[in-house]
Amino acid sequence: MSSVATPRLVPLSRTRRKLAVFTALTVVALAAGLPGRTVAALALTSLMIPVAVALAGGRVLLRELLRLRLTAAGRHVPRTPTRTRAEGCQVSGGSQTDL
């Protein structure tokens, strides 16, 4: 195994949203009385998302997925700074010394 960090293919916020949606769909399917196969498929998908994250990024990434840090305003505070699309672009007359 290599000790070089690999970039994330999918943002963790998107994965967290998918986990929440599949969990909510599982609860709705169970409450609505949908067939057991449908509920089982949704439940297994909900369980496999954290497993896939753990396999891809280890225990640290799994903790980041499952732990939601909130500010006083109730918004999520990302642990690492996010990059904007414009960060790599040079504005005319500007410099890229910050990068």
Side-chain angles (χ1 to χ4, degrees):
M1 291 209 135
S2 173
S3 63
V4 178
T6 57
R8 293 184 189 158
L9 298 176
V10 178
L12 200 57
S13 61
R14 185 183 308 168
T15 306
R16 189 177 291 122
R17 253 187 319 238
K18 287 181 182 183
L19 176 61
V21 167
F22 274 106
T23 304
L25 285 173
T26 303
V27 172
V28 168
L30 190 60
L34 291 179
R37 295 172 85 181
T38 303
V39 175
L42 288 168
L44 284 174
T45 303
S46 298
L47 291 173
M48 293 311 291
I49 290 173
V51 171
V53 168
L55 289 174
R59 198 180 303 183
V60 174
L61 197 59
L62 179 63
R63 268 194 216 122
E64 274 189 60
L65 174 72
L66 298 177
R67 187 181 316 167
L68 186 62
R69 300 183 318 138
L70 299 177
T71 64
R75 292 188 175 177
H76 172 66
V77 179
R79 177 170 283 186
T80 56
T82 57
R83 289 186 150 181
T84 61
R85 291 183 183 174
E87 273 187 9
C89 302
Q90 182 175 0
V91 179
S92 62
S95 68
Q96 291 184 345
T97 57
D98 296 342
L99 300 176

